[in-house]
Amino acid sequence: MAPRAFWEGYLKLSLVTCAVAMTPAISEREKVRFHTLNRKTGHRILSQYVDAETGKPVEEADEVKGYQRGENDYVMLEDAEIDAVRLESTHTIDIDMFVPHDSVGLIWYDRPHYLIPNDTVGEEAFCVIRDAMTSTNMVGMSRLVLYRRERAVMLEPRDKGIILWTLHYGDEVRREEDYFEGIKDSRPDPKVMTLVETLIDERTKPWDPAMVTDPVQDRLLEIIASKKKGKKPIKPKAVAEAPSNVINIMDALRHSLASESKSPKKD
Protein backbone atom coordinates (compact mmCIF):
# COMPACT_ATOMS: atom_id res chain seq x y z
CA MET A 1 0.00 0.00 0.00
CA ALA A 2 1.37 3.40 -1.02
CA PRO A 3 2.10 5.80 1.87
CA ARG A 4 -0.14 8.80 2.40
CA ALA A 5 0.77 11.85 0.30
CA PHE A 6 2.75 14.48 2.20
CA TRP A 7 1.83 17.28 -0.26
CA GLU A 8 -1.39 17.97 -2.19
CA GLY A 9 -2.01 20.77 -4.64
CA TYR A 10 -2.35 21.50 -8.33
CA LEU A 11 -0.33 21.03 -11.50
CA LYS A 12 -0.80 23.95 -13.89
CA LEU A 13 0.24 24.49 -17.50
CA SER A 14 -1.21 27.71 -18.91
CA LEU A 15 -5.00 27.26 -18.54
CA VAL A 16 -4.78 23.50 -17.92
CA THR A 17 -4.97 22.60 -14.22
CA CYS A 18 -5.36 19.30 -12.38
CA ALA A 19 -5.24 18.18 -8.76
CA VAL A 20 -2.09 16.23 -7.85
CA ALA A 21 -0.56 14.51 -4.84
CA MET A 22 3.14 14.08 -4.10
CA THR A 23 5.14 11.64 -1.97
CA PRO A 24 8.93 11.38 -1.54
CA ALA A 25 10.31 8.59 -3.73
CA ILE A 26 12.94 7.70 -1.14
CA SER A 27 12.57 6.89 2.55
CA GLU A 28 15.04 6.77 5.44
CA ARG A 29 12.64 5.25 7.98
CA GLU A 30 14.35 1.87 7.73
CA LYS A 31 17.78 3.32 8.52
CA VAL A 32 19.40 2.40 11.82
CA ARG A 33 19.32 5.49 14.02
CA PHE A 34 21.07 6.09 17.33
CA HIS A 35 20.51 8.32 20.34
CA THR A 36 23.40 9.67 22.39
CA LEU A 37 23.25 8.26 25.92
CA ASN A 38 24.96 8.78 29.25
CA ARG A 39 27.05 5.61 29.58
CA LYS A 40 26.79 5.69 33.41
CA THR A 41 22.98 6.08 33.67
CA GLY A 42 21.75 4.87 30.27
CA HIS A 43 19.66 8.05 29.97
CA ARG A 44 19.40 10.10 26.77
CA ILE A 45 21.49 13.25 26.49
CA LEU A 46 19.67 16.42 25.41
CA SER A 47 21.38 19.10 23.32
CA GLN A 48 21.06 22.74 24.28
CA TYR A 49 22.18 26.04 22.76
CA VAL A 50 24.63 27.95 24.92
CA ASP A 51 26.27 31.35 24.53
CA ALA A 52 29.75 30.80 23.06
CA GLU A 53 31.27 33.50 25.31
CA THR A 54 29.39 33.19 28.61
CA GLY A 55 28.64 29.46 28.41
CA LYS A 56 25.11 30.12 29.72
CA PRO A 57 22.02 28.47 28.13
CA VAL A 58 20.08 30.65 25.66
CA GLU A 59 16.28 30.83 25.83
CA GLU A 60 14.46 30.01 22.59
CA ALA A 61 12.93 33.50 22.49
CA ASP A 62 16.45 34.99 22.42
CA GLU A 63 17.67 32.88 19.47
CA VAL A 64 18.01 34.89 16.25
CA LYS A 65 19.58 34.32 12.82
CA GLY A 66 22.84 36.15 12.13
CA TYR A 67 24.88 36.79 8.96
CA GLN A 68 28.60 37.18 9.63
CA ARG A 69 30.17 40.28 8.06
CA GLY A 70 33.38 40.33 10.06
CA GLU A 71 35.15 38.79 13.02
CA ASN A 72 32.63 38.62 15.88
CA ASP A 73 30.41 40.97 13.87
CA TYR A 74 26.97 39.84 12.68
CA VAL A 75 23.89 41.31 11.02
CA MET A 76 20.82 40.01 12.86
CA LEU A 77 17.73 39.05 10.85
CA GLU A 78 14.32 38.49 12.41
CA ASP A 79 12.13 35.58 11.26
CA ALA A 80 9.61 38.03 9.78
CA GLU A 81 12.32 39.63 7.62
CA ILE A 82 13.41 36.22 6.29
CA ASP A 83 9.80 35.13 5.66
CA ALA A 84 9.14 38.33 3.69
CA VAL A 85 11.44 37.27 0.82
CA ARG A 86 10.22 33.70 0.58
CA LEU A 87 8.03 32.46 -2.27
CA GLU A 88 4.37 32.33 -1.27
CA SER A 89 3.31 28.72 -0.66
CA THR A 90 0.45 28.52 -3.18
CA HIS A 91 0.41 24.72 -3.46
CA THR A 92 0.47 25.11 -7.23
CA ILE A 93 3.17 23.67 -9.48
CA ASP A 94 3.03 26.18 -12.33
CA ILE A 95 5.17 24.92 -15.23
CA ASP A 96 6.57 28.13 -16.68
CA MET A 97 9.15 26.64 -19.07
CA PHE A 98 10.46 23.43 -20.63
CA VAL A 99 14.00 22.33 -21.40
CA PRO A 100 15.40 19.27 -23.24
CA HIS A 101 15.63 16.32 -20.87
CA ASP A 102 19.29 15.60 -21.66
CA SER A 103 20.33 19.21 -21.01
CA VAL A 104 19.93 18.90 -17.23
CA GLY A 105 23.05 17.20 -15.87
CA LEU A 106 22.68 14.58 -13.14
CA ILE A 107 24.76 16.75 -10.80
CA TRP A 108 21.79 19.15 -10.50
CA TYR A 109 19.37 16.45 -9.31
CA ASP A 110 18.55 16.53 -5.58
CA ARG A 111 15.56 14.56 -4.22
CA PRO A 112 12.92 12.62 -6.23
CA HIS A 113 9.19 12.64 -5.50
CA TYR A 114 6.32 10.70 -7.06
CA LEU A 115 3.67 13.01 -8.54
CA ILE A 116 0.27 11.47 -9.38
CA PRO A 117 -3.25 12.74 -10.21
CA ASN A 118 -5.33 13.27 -7.08
CA ASP A 119 -8.80 12.78 -8.57
CA THR A 120 -10.40 11.16 -11.61
CA VAL A 121 -11.56 14.52 -13.02
CA GLY A 122 -8.02 15.84 -13.53
CA GLU A 123 -6.44 12.54 -14.56
CA GLU A 124 -6.86 13.21 -18.30
CA ALA A 125 -5.14 16.62 -18.02
CA PHE A 126 -2.33 15.04 -16.01
CA CYS A 127 -1.81 12.32 -18.62
CA VAL A 128 -1.82 14.83 -21.49
CA ILE A 129 0.93 16.92 -19.84
CA ARG A 130 2.94 13.77 -19.02
CA ASP A 131 2.66 12.26 -22.52
CA ALA A 132 3.39 15.57 -24.27
CA MET A 133 6.66 15.87 -22.32
CA THR A 134 7.51 12.27 -23.22
CA SER A 135 6.86 12.71 -26.94
CA THR A 136 8.93 15.92 -27.11
CA ASN A 137 11.68 14.61 -24.77
CA MET A 138 11.23 17.67 -22.57
CA VAL A 139 11.05 18.23 -18.82
CA GLY A 140 9.09 20.94 -17.07
CA MET A 141 10.66 23.57 -14.81
CA SER A 142 8.91 25.28 -11.92
CA ARG A 143 9.40 26.62 -8.39
CA LEU A 144 7.78 25.37 -5.23
CA VAL A 145 8.00 25.70 -1.45
CA LEU A 146 9.06 22.32 -0.03
CA TYR A 147 10.65 21.48 3.31
CA ARG A 148 10.25 25.14 4.34
CA ARG A 149 12.40 26.39 1.46
CA GLU A 150 11.74 27.74 -1.99
CA ARG A 151 13.07 25.22 -4.49
CA ALA A 152 13.57 24.95 -8.21
CA VAL A 153 11.93 21.72 -9.34
CA MET A 154 12.00 19.62 -12.51
CA LEU A 155 9.11 17.45 -13.70
CA GLU A 156 10.22 14.30 -15.51
CA PRO A 157 7.62 11.96 -17.11
CA ARG A 158 8.14 8.38 -15.93
CA ASP A 159 5.91 5.45 -16.89
CA LYS A 160 2.32 6.34 -15.80
CA GLY A 161 3.37 9.16 -13.51
CA ILE A 162 5.77 12.07 -13.15
CA ILE A 163 8.94 12.30 -11.05
CA LEU A 164 9.31 15.72 -9.45
CA TRP A 165 12.98 16.39 -8.68
CA THR A 166 14.09 19.17 -6.39
CA LEU A 167 17.21 20.71 -7.92
CA HIS A 168 20.35 22.08 -6.32
CA TYR A 169 20.76 25.84 -6.35
CA GLY A 170 23.31 27.31 -8.74
CA ASP A 171 25.67 28.34 -5.94
CA GLU A 172 25.61 24.79 -4.48
CA VAL A 173 27.09 23.10 -7.56
CA ARG A 174 30.83 23.57 -8.02
CA ARG A 175 32.16 24.21 -11.52
CA GLU A 176 33.53 21.02 -13.03
CA GLU A 177 36.08 23.02 -15.02
CA ASP A 178 37.84 23.93 -11.77
CA TYR A 179 38.59 20.25 -11.19
CA PHE A 180 38.80 18.64 -14.63
CA GLU A 181 40.76 21.18 -16.65
CA GLY A 182 44.11 19.97 -15.26
CA ILE A 183 43.60 16.47 -16.70
CA LYS A 184 45.67 15.96 -19.85
CA ASP A 185 43.74 15.86 -23.12
CA SER A 186 45.43 12.76 -24.53
CA ARG A 187 44.12 9.78 -26.47
CA PRO A 188 44.73 6.40 -24.80
CA ASP A 189 46.52 3.57 -26.56
CA PRO A 190 43.98 1.65 -28.77
CA LYS A 191 45.21 -1.66 -27.31
CA VAL A 192 44.57 -0.40 -23.78
CA MET A 193 41.11 0.79 -24.82
CA THR A 194 40.29 -2.62 -26.28
CA LEU A 195 41.28 -4.39 -23.06
CA VAL A 196 39.24 -1.98 -20.90
CA GLU A 197 36.20 -2.36 -23.18
CA THR A 198 36.54 -6.13 -22.88
CA LEU A 199 36.71 -5.82 -19.09
CA ILE A 200 33.57 -3.64 -19.12
CA ASP A 201 31.79 -6.19 -21.31
CA GLU A 202 32.75 -8.99 -18.89
CA ARG A 203 31.27 -7.05 -15.97
CA THR A 204 28.10 -5.79 -17.68
CA LYS A 205 24.87 -6.92 -15.98
CA PRO A 206 21.22 -5.82 -15.98
CA TRP A 207 20.37 -3.19 -13.38
CA ASP A 208 19.16 -4.64 -10.08
CA PRO A 209 18.22 -2.64 -6.93
CA ALA A 210 20.19 -5.23 -4.94
CA MET A 211 23.33 -3.59 -6.35
CA VAL A 212 22.82 -0.65 -4.00
CA THR A 213 22.08 -2.43 -0.73
CA ASP A 214 23.73 -1.00 2.39
CA PRO A 215 26.21 -3.54 3.85
CA VAL A 216 26.95 -1.29 6.85
CA GLN A 217 23.24 -1.23 7.74
CA ASP A 218 23.08 -5.03 7.54
CA ARG A 219 26.15 -5.41 9.78
CA LEU A 220 24.74 -2.95 12.34
CA LEU A 221 21.48 -4.91 12.50
CA GLU A 222 23.49 -8.11 13.07
CA ILE A 223 25.40 -6.46 15.95
CA ILE A 224 22.16 -5.13 17.49
CA ALA A 225 20.51 -8.56 17.21
CA SER A 226 23.53 -10.21 18.88
CA LYS A 227 23.54 -7.69 21.72
CA LYS A 228 19.80 -8.21 22.29
CA LYS A 229 20.52 -11.91 22.81
CA GLY A 230 23.39 -11.13 25.20
CA LYS A 231 26.06 -12.39 22.83
CA LYS A 232 29.55 -10.93 22.54
CA PRO A 233 29.99 -8.05 20.07
CA ILE A 234 30.98 -9.04 16.56
CA LYS A 235 34.59 -8.17 15.79
CA PRO A 236 34.99 -5.60 13.01
CA LYS A 237 36.36 -6.73 9.70
CA ALA A 238 39.99 -5.96 8.92
CA VAL A 239 40.45 -2.86 6.80
CA ALA A 240 41.64 -3.73 3.31
CA GLU A 241 45.00 -2.28 2.33
CA ALA A 242 45.05 0.42 -0.31
CA PRO A 243 46.13 -0.87 -3.74
CA SER A 244 49.64 -0.05 -4.81
CA ASN A 245 50.30 2.21 -7.78
CA VAL A 246 49.88 0.54 -11.15
CA ILE A 247 53.23 0.42 -12.96
CA ASN A 248 52.15 -1.19 -16.21
CA ILE A 249 48.51 -0.72 -17.16
CA MET A 250 48.63 -3.40 -19.88
CA ASP A 251 49.87 -6.03 -17.40
CA ALA A 252 47.26 -4.96 -14.85
CA LEU A 253 44.45 -5.24 -17.42
CA ARG A 254 45.64 -8.65 -18.64
CA HIS A 255 45.70 -9.93 -15.04
CA SER A 256 42.21 -8.48 -14.49
CA LEU A 257 40.80 -10.20 -17.57
CA ALA A 258 42.47 -13.47 -16.63
CA SER A 259 40.88 -13.37 -13.17
CA GLU A 260 37.50 -12.46 -14.69
CA SER A 261 37.58 -15.46 -17.00
CA LYS A 262 38.40 -17.81 -14.06
CA SER A 263 35.62 -16.46 -11.86
CA PRO A 264 32.21 -18.17 -12.17
CA LYS A 265 29.56 -16.06 -13.88
CA LYS A 266 26.87 -14.64 -11.58
CA ASP A 267 23.36 -14.15 -12.89
Side-chain angles (χ1 to χ4, degrees):
M1 183 178 178
R4 183 179 177 182
F6 93 117
W7 185 95
E8 294 180 339
Y10 296 90
L11 177 63
K12 184 174 182 292
L13 174 58
S14 188
L15 300 179
V16 180
T17 305
C18 59
V20 291
M22 181 165 51
T23 304
I26 57 178
S27 171
E28 296 183 351
R29 289 182 179 178
E30 292 75 21
K31 288 289 184 185
V32 174
R33 297 184 183 279
F34 298 102
H35 295 288
T36 303
L37 308 178
N38 182 335
R39 185 189 298 276
K40 294 181 179 179
T41 65
H43 300 157
R44 286 182 58 184
I45 297 173
L46 300 179
S47 59
Q48 186 178 33
Y49 285 110
V50 298
D51 189 295
E53 296 296 326
T54 67
K56 295 181 179 180
V58 179
E59 297 293 333
E60 186 176 352
D62 293 327
E63 296 173 11
V64 64
K65 300 289 190 300
Y67 177 82
Q68 188 170 7
R69 60 184 175 186
E71 187 175 357
N72 298 322
D73 185 16
Y74 299 86
V75 177
M76 293 187 184
L77 294 175
E78 301 297 334
D79 290 342
E81 295 174 306
I82 296 174
D83 290 339
V85 299
R86 286 176 175 166
L87 180 72
E88 182 182 356
S89 181
T90 60
H91 277 258
T92 300
I93 306 169
D94 191 353
I95 308 177
D96 53 9
M97 71 180 75
F98 295 88
V99 299
H101 182 277
D102 297 338
S103 68
V104 184
L106 292 176
I107 199 169
W108 293 97
Y109 288 39
D110 181 24
R111 294 177 65 88
H113 304 74
Y114 294 131
L115 191 68
I116 60 174
N118 206 22
D119 58 35
T120 55
V121 176
E123 188 168 321
E124 181 180 4
F126 178 92
C127 294
V128 167
I129 295 173
R130 176 201 66 200
D131 292 348
M133 287 194 292
T134 301
S135 65
T136 57
N137 195 31
M138 294 287 179
V139 291
M141 306 297 292
S142 185
R143 303 191 79 82
L144 190 64
V145 173
L146 281 178
Y147 310 109
R148 299 182 180 181
R149 292 179 65 191
E150 177 188 342
R151 300 184 181 263
V153 298
M154 182 188 83
L155 287 83
E156 175 190 15
R158 181 79 61 87
D159 195 21
K160 294 182 179 180
I162 291 174
I163 304 293
L164 182 144
W165 287 90
T166 56
L167 301 177
H168 292 295
Y169 290 107
D171 58 359
E172 292 177 337
V173 178
R174 292 173 174 169
R175 292 179 354 116
E176 60 186 52
E177 294 86 351
D178 295 340
Y179 302 88
F180 296 161
E181 64 182 359
I183 301 174
K184 295 179 180 178
D185 187 16
S186 58
R187 293 183 177 275
D189 187 323
K191 292 181 180 179
V192 173
M193 280 290 293
T194 299
L195 288 175
V196 174
E197 288 167 358
T198 303
L199 189 60
I200 290 173
D201 184 62
E202 289 284 334
R203 295 193 173 200
T204 298
K205 299 177 181 179
W207 160 252
D208 186 340
M211 294 176 178
V212 288
T213 54
D214 186 351
V216 174
Q217 170 100 347
D218 295 339
R219 293 285 293 168
L220 284 172
L221 290 173
E222 289 176 11
I223 293 172
I224 292 169
S226 296
K227 282 184 153 288
K228 282 182 178 179
K229 296 177 181 178
K231 296 181 179 179
K232 292 182 179 180
I234 300 173
K235 292 183 179 180
K237 292 183 177 179
V239 179
E241 293 183 5
S244 58
N245 291 333
V246 176
I247 304 301
N248 188 310
I249 190 170
M250 290 292 287
D251 289 343
L253 287 169
R254 289 193 183 101
H255 285 307
S256 296
L257 289 170
S259 62
E260 291 287 326
S261 60
K262 292 178 182 178
S263 301
K265 290 279 185 178
K266 294 181 181 180
D267 296 330

